[in-house]
Amino acid sequence: MKLDSVLISDAVDPACAQLLRENGIQVTQKTKMPLEELLDEIKKHDGLIVRSDTQVTKQVMGNLKVIGMAGTGVDNIDLAAATKKGIIVMNTPGANSISACELTCALILDLARHVSPANSALKHGVWERQSYTGTELYGKTLAVLGLGRIGRQVAKRMQAFGMKTISFDSMISSEAAREFYVEKMELEQIWPLADYITVHMPLIPQTKDLINFDVLNKCKKGICVVNVGRGGIVNEEGLLKSLESGQCGGAALDVFTEEPPRSEGLLRLLAHPKVLATPHLGANTTEAQKRVAVQIAGQFIALNKGSSLSGVVNCPALMTAMQANNKPWFDLAQALGSFGPSSLCTVTVQTLGQGMERLTSDLCPAVLAGVLASGDVNMVNAPRRAREDKVKVKIRSEHLPGGLEQALVVSFSDGRRVQGSVIQGVPCIQAVNDATFGPKGVELSGNLLMTEGATNLAKMVINKGGKIVRQATAQGGAGCVAVHTDGSISGKHICSLQIVPLLSVSRFHRKIQSCSAEDCLENYKEILI
């Protein structure tokens, strides 16, 4: 993917812009722009880098190719709209984990020893010790909700204080949790055991209002809650009610449903004497700010060079596709998908051979991009577009007995079937329906023209002034002819079909199903010139 220009619309460490410029990408850095100015500016750029200030709505996205979050959460990016438009959304997972972890630990300690209110009182001339009698963390139970990068680091550090750590995480096994000296439990088991609860989960429908008034009533009296994760996971109205009743003994909040807080209910919560509040400082350290800036710049640079991809939020398969040894398989998948009907069909994606099962699911977006075969469809939006076009997908994987051969087979509900493989790093078509080109197949490279049936395609190309580079004829079934040309027919230069633009063959292939052999080159020129 070629990135000519990137807009940085939030306060991101200067190291980000510097790295991008050093690698040949033009950068414009403008912050706190009014919406109209932002809409006008975004038209000039391929990429956008933000933090949490810019609200990246559908209206703002323009013709962007990629949006980068210099941080972890992407709540301010309309992910559904970006995916529909085929825009890659990336974040920087792990870059601010240590900073968020350390703030969490600081807040737990503050809740235990009342450091902030005691400090405030003394600064106001009040020498009061009894009111700020705290509790030890030693021997207490900390419930870590979300045992990802941050949650694991929090558990490790609080274990050093002698805390027992328990956790809930639907993505982590009990065995994996034990590796971090954490006991995994279900939520209903956690509530009555925890002295402190800390939240490190994404805000999704399943986690919204996870900590609420009813849940807090199931906990020990005096339960303390810490949220340096996402606003909305802790129900703020329920938390205030629990604090006022005395059931909740304290809360430390760094994130809120409204930032900055303005609503009456939220301001009441912040004013409660047992609430510690910070203005979303989880990642606000010098080290984290530079780390996320360098990381997101590195991801943009790698994407621009086509060397690798990481941190993709809305199409994880792209990260697999960008690995050098996998690229030919994804090129093949897109090409094979291009032989199918473009809507109202069922596509079966089948991998054959040892080790291929690791790619089966990830290859599906590439196959669907080929099936849909239009200029604005790519791996990011192909699955969504397929659902809209009533295209269904089935996946299969099987080992071939007694051999090391690997292959990809794409079948369609109308009976069409095409098979290919990657041979010496080059994707090749081996069979179209019952017609086979043999184990070496036909390379999907250069200027490739294919047609079904026993036509003298080579002769027609020559008669039109084209030059044959190589040709192949498939045996069996209705037959299939493949011709590589030098890219010119009747003296007119035709678009060079490099792997991804091979999607043009799909339009040609579908169009010639009802064409006579003599008309096929005219159709080819009509589509590709």
Side-chain angles (χ1 to χ4, degrees), residues 293-310:
V294 169
Q295 185 169 324
I296 197 65
Q299 290 169 213
F300 270 52
I301 292 163
L303 178 64
N304 188 49
K305 293 180 177 179
S307 57
S308 65
L309 197 58
S310 61

Side-chain angles (χ1 to χ4, degrees), residues 29-41:
Q29 189 156 11
K30 290 184 178 180
T31 61
K32 300 185 182 302
M33 284 183 284
L35 179 59
E36 290 304 317
E37 184 180 353
L38 176 60
L39 292 176
D40 185 59
E41 183 65 38

Side-chain angles (χ1 to χ4, degrees), residues 81 231 316 492:
K492 293 185 178 181

